[in-house]
């Protein structure tokens, strides 16, 4: 099945937060995200990779307007769950390549990563779905990245 | 906007691989995934969280049938990019909650995580999209997890 890339999107409306060094045991993610939900913090993207020596990091994005309160709540949660700390970055952007048939075509992700690399853009986080490869990058470079990605995938920039 | 959860899905057809301690600089992800694409390894989910002291981990899933060759290629890549090592786990399952309006309803992710915790299921990886929250868990627990998630979201199990 050929992969068809239909769009390149980007989003600078959110900030990134990372709860670092959380214990990797059942209930930790539940505690964190139930508390944030109760505080009506609009969590969008959540990324957690595998743990190392029993600890891992949980990163997530929130709208810029929610960052201050989200940080306040998450610092309290960090203490509660025994995490190492919390950090945030409100200068990020998320850029995504959207398409169909990507699962059977690893070349699409490879092309996206090569294109970002060719612009000197460092990939801070990667997350995928069946129809989308998303990267968190520096917001200051996102316009160059988006232009280069449109070119790489033969798309016209809107 | 109310979130509507329409389905709980699970997938035991893939294994997890982690390329650990990769240098966090432009070009690394490109090198890894272009090589895997060239080898026709069917990479599905890719997760990378933020780096710490200049290194991070890149995890991805492949069909069980591709695991042996993917490990062989990735071990070579690990040396090439200066990564710390490669590991794999062919006993995982991926379980997802699918719905609409989840971005503005952090309670859905919280409910999913609480439900998994209540079954004693540890969440190894988390990845989200606008319509899906996915967790990598132990394949041996996935049936209990899926049953509990259907119940938690008021869905009938197919
Ligand atoms: C780290 C966090 O995801 C933990 N493993 C949990 O299940 O809640
Ligand atoms: C770690 C990897 O994603 C690296 N930051 C890159 O841009 O390729």
């Amino acid at each position: 099945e050929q992969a068809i890339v239909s769009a390149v999107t980007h989003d600078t409306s959110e900030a990134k937060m990372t709860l670092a060094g959380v214990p990797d045991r059942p209930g930790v993610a539940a505690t964190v995200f139930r508390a944030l939900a109760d505080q009506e913090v609009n969590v969008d993207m959540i990324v957690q990779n595998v743990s190392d020596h029993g600890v891992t990091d949980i990163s997530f994005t929130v709208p810029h307007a929610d960052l201050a309160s989200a940080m306040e709540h998450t610092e309290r949660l960090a203490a509660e769950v025994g995490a190492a700390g919390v950090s945030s970055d409100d200068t990020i952007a998320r850029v995504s390549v959207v398409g169909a048939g990507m699962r059977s075509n690893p070349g699409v992700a490879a092309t996206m990563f090569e294109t970002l690399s060719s612009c000197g853009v460092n990939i801070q986080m990667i997350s995928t779905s069946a129809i989308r490869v998303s990267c968190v990058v520096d917001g200051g470079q996102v316009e160059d990245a988006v232009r280069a990605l449109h070119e790489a995938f033969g798309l016209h920039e809107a």
Side-chain angles (χ1 to χ4, degrees), chain A:
Chain A
E1 183 189 0
Q2 265 303 48
I4 302 167
V5 172
S6 55
V8 174
T9 68
H10 69 286
D11 184 352
T12 52
S13 71
E14 298 178 345
K16 163 184 78 169
M17 294 180 56
T18 298
L19 184 54
V22 303
D24 186 21
R25 58 165 190 261
V28 172
T31 297
V32 171
F33 290 96
R34 177 53 66 196
L36 292 175
D38 288 348
Q39 303 296 338
E40 301 189 343
V41 174
N42 281 320
V43 171
D44 181 10
M45 177 189 197
I46 303 170
V47 169
Q48 176 196 310
N49 206 344
V50 297
S51 61
D52 187 19
H53 297 97
V55 292
T56 186
D57 301 337
I58 303 177
S59 292
F60 52 96
T61 62
V62 299
H64 286 291
D66 288 18
L67 183 60
S69 88
M71 278 298 286
E72 195 180 324
H73 296 305
T74 308
E75 277 159 354
R76 229 176 298 137
L77 286 163
E80 190 178 331
V81 302
V86 194
S87 61
S88 68
D89 182 348
D90 64 1
T91 67
I92 62 146
R94 189 168 30 163
V95 60
S96 301
V97 168
V98 183
M102 307 214 293
R103 178 168 172 162
S104 45
N105 193 328
V108 172
T111 298
M112 179 184 194
F113 303 155
E114 286 171 335
T115 304
L116 293 173
S117 172
S118 70
C119 300
V121 175
N122 191 51
I123 299 166
Q124 301 176 17
M125 295 168 69
I126 302 169
S127 183
T128 60
S129 75
I131 60 162
R132 179 185 290 261
V133 182
S134 291
C135 294
V136 169
V137 301
D138 173 11
Q141 298 178 294
V142 75
E143 294 204 7
D144 290 345
V146 168
R147 190 175 312 124
L149 286 166
H150 276 96
E151 196 169 329
F153 290 107
L155 297 169
H156 290 289
E157 210 162 345

